[in-house]
Structure formats: C-alpha cells, structure tokens
Amino acid sequence: MNPTHTFDVLVIGAGAAGLMAAIEAGRRGRRVALLERADRPGKKILISGGGRCNFTNLHCRPENFLSANPHFAKSALARYTPADFIALVERHGICYHEKTLGQLFCDGPADQIVNLLLTECAAANVRIVLGADIRAVRRDDTFEVTTQNSIYRAPAVIIATGGLSIPKIGATGFGYDIARQFNIPIREPRPALVPLILTGAEHANFADLTGISAPVTVTCLKRTFREKMLFTHRGLSGPAILQISSYWNAPPPAPNISDPIIIDWAPNQNILAPLLQSAAGRNGNTAKVALRAHLPARLADRLVDVAAPTSFTNHALADLERRLHAWPFAPTGTEGYEKAEVTAGGVSTDALSAQTMECRNVPGLYFIGEVVDVTGHLGGFNFQWAWASGAAAGRAV
Ligand code: FDA
C-alpha cells in the first residue's frame, strides 16, 4: 500500500509558474507539495534567454499577449508586475541589465533565477518532489494524485505543466489531458515564437543566405514588429519572425491559404532615391548599391536580382521601391514544437477565473502559466505571465 500524504495544495509542474504559485501559497501558511516529473526543477528557465534568462520586460502590457480573450490576463498582470519580480531579483542580489526594448536579463547564468525560486520555496516550507510520475488525478470530496510510489491528497490542485514546446527537455500534454478529464475546453495548441519554413522558389532564392540578418519590419494579419530577421537553411527566423509566427499561426481566413508575411527591408527610407538623380545610372548595379546602404550586401544584391525590372523607368523604379517595402513571403509551415519557444492556445480562459485561475466548474482546480491560452510576445513576457498567473493562484488557494 502506497503511503498517503495530505497537503493544503498540490502544485503539478515545477517550472516558472508552478514555483511561483508554490511560493505564494507557502508564504500564506499553506502546506504545499510541488510535484515535478523531471529530475530537477526549472529546466526551461535554465535554457531561457540564451542561458541568461530574460526574466521580465519593463514594458509589459496586456497588448503583449495573445489569447482568445485579450482581457483575461489583465487582472493577474496588474496584481503581479515586473516591478514585483525585479524587487525579488534585487533582494537576492542578482545583477541584471536591460538588453533592448525593456528586456531584462541576468548578468550571470540563468540558474540564479532557479536558485532564487528554490530559496523562496524553502523559506515557504514547500515540499518539492522530483521524479514524480503521476499516474492518476481523481476528485471526490478532495483531490487525490497518485504517483508511482505515493498518494497525495489536497483540496486544491494547481496544474502548471506548461505546453508542448521542446519535448526533449520534458514537455508533456499532461495539462491538456487533465483539462479534458474535467471537461474543460481547450483552444487548439500550436507552436509559437517559432522559425518559419520556406519551400519552392522562395527557398531556392534565399537558402544560401543562411546566417545573414537584417533589421526589418514584418507584418501579418495587421500585426507589425520592428526587429531583426535571420535567414536559416530552412527559411526565416530571428526575433521579427519569431514574433510574427505567433500571429501567422493563427487559423487562416480560408482553408489552405497561408497568410503572407510582409517584409519592409528599409522602413521609412527612400531606397532608390539616388537612382532618380539625373547623374546616376539606372540599372541593376546602381539599384544594388542603393540597397546596400540599408542591408548586408549579399542580401541587397539578391533582392535586386529577384525583383529587378527589365527597364528602369520612373514607373518601374516606383514599383521596385514599393516591392522593397512590402516583400511578401508565403511560409509553408513552422519548425514545430522542437524549435518553438512557447505553445499558443491551451486551456480556454472561458473556463477560468481571471482573478484566481480557478476553474469555474471544478472548484479547487487551477491552471497557470503556459498551459493556459495566454501567450506572450518574445522578450520576457512569457515569464511575466508565469509569475503573474502563478501568484494569482498561489494567493487564492
Ligand atoms: P514550464 O514548461 O516552464 O514548466 C512546466 C513544468 O512541468 C516542467 O518542469 C515540466 O517538467 C513539468 N511537467 C510537465 N509534465 C509533467 C507531469 N506530467 N508531471 C509533473 N510535472 C510535469 N520566456 C521568457 O519570458 N523569457 C525568455 O528568455 C525565454 N526563453 C526561452 C527559451 C527557450 C529555448 C524556450 C523553450 C522558452 C523560453 N521562454 C522564455 C518561454 C518560457 O520558458 C515559458 O513560457 C515558461 O517557462 C512557461 O512556464 P511554465 O511554468 O508554465 O511551464
């Protein structure tokens, strides 16, 4: 007979959201067990931000999140702000810096953030159980969670098992399975913040530019980002593309029609103006020279080669200028969960209280972090959602 342990709160998943929820609940005197499948907590934190953890963003606003309900995240984000997490980071003496666009990174390795969270868990008497293989979750008058060697009982269970991104470090669909078990609706999960794949002529035109990057604006479905994009051997990546991928992935307006993404290669610049001066020659070479003032030479040359008009009349130059500011790509897919930083979609916010993250129809059951249909832009927003939703649940249980 497996031993039975009784707690006030069970948190399943010791990632960013689960650790924060456990800390907040433990600080309030709740007896908390944090059940983690992996052999160590916070694995995704360790690999985040290129190993430096972009732990929040100074400019965090509800507009930085995708969700079927754009209002859902507002309450939690307002009650646990970037300043709250920064205060925690400073209390633990962790040095950090703003890299760009409000993105805060550790100066040192990301394990400082995991250590911070584990220190806070210890201070809040959270019991962390690693290697917990959860076999069943049942509910009668309370919840019962069965692992390979124990039974845990508590009146509240917080599901913080994240999304499907990066299966090789242990991502599972556990949270969605629990949602289905309790008849909680799910919005179809999909890879987000993910490189896009080009095929056919688009791939042939640009594949040999692998590694070349450029600052651009990229637009899809009325969303625009101004950041760097990068050519890869399979297609497009870099911050601009990762950001727009979350929107590109949205269901297309008509079946089988891929939304184009539109690149402006030199925003707000009159690229071909030098060719309009009377002394300047008008040909492919002068067009390349003009574009090289804004882009790496190989990329500038390739764009002109692909788009060069047969004549260089005023009308043709105006057309080329327009094309360079609205260059369409039609990706045929994404690089999938293996490369996606996050999973968009997830447990429907319709089913949850925006104040507490508790399921409206299943009292005592909570969902937080990436498993919920709230997905941040690139730049520290996903951790801020993990902290904020974790704090909301941890303060309510
Ligand atoms: P998370 O996935 O972190 O944690 C879930 C936990 O549940 C894991 O520990 C997992 O092992 C556990 N688990 C899963 N199934 C289980 C089961 N059946 N039983 C028990 N435990 C189970 N964001 C950001 O804001 N800034 C950044 O710098 C980065 N960088 C970044 C880099 C890379 C490479 C990736 C893949 C992602 C990022 N992100 C990011 C995104 C960020 O890491 C992510 O949004 C959060 O970690 C989500 O936190 P959660 O706690 O919700 O899930």
Side-chain angles (χ1 to χ4, degrees), residues 12-19 35-38 40-45 47-50 52-56 105 132-134 160-163 165-166 169-175 193 339-342 368-371 377-386 389:
I12 303 183
L19 286 160
L35 309 180
E36 167 59 51
R37 185 169 163 271
R40 62 184 297 182
K43 278 191 172 180
K44 232 177 233 179
I45 300 174
I47 62 165
S48 68
R52 294 272 187 262
C53 187
N54 176 196
F55 55 81
T56 192
F105 285 76
D133 180 8
I134 295 174
T161 46
S165 310
I166 321 288
I169 63 159
T172 72
F174 180 87
L193 299 180
K339 292 281 173 64
E341 269 200 19
V342 286
I368 58 172
E370 197 177 313
V371 72
H377 289 171
L378 190 74
F381 300 104
N382 284 297
F383 278 137
Q384 190 56 37
W385 169 245
S389 58

Side-chain angles (χ1 to χ4, degrees), residues 115-137:
N115 292 339
L116 171 165
L117 295 163
L118 293 179
T119 303
E120 292 289 325
C121 277
N125 290 318
V126 173
R127 167 131 168 243
I128 300 180
V129 181
L130 299 175
D133 180 8
I134 295 174
R135 306 277 165 87
V137 176

Side-chain angles (χ1 to χ4, degrees), residues 54-93:
N54 176 196
F55 55 81
T56 192
N57 192 297
L58 293 172
H59 311 306
C60 185
R61 295 182 315 269
E63 297 73 52
N64 297 116
F65 296 85
L66 292 85
S67 172
N69 176 358
H71 303 293
F72 179 81
K74 286 181 179 171
S75 169
L77 291 171
R79 286 178 297 123
Y80 193 94
T81 64
D84 291 318
F85 197 77
I86 292 166
L88 193 56
V89 166
E90 290 179 351
R91 255 200 329 275
H92 284 258

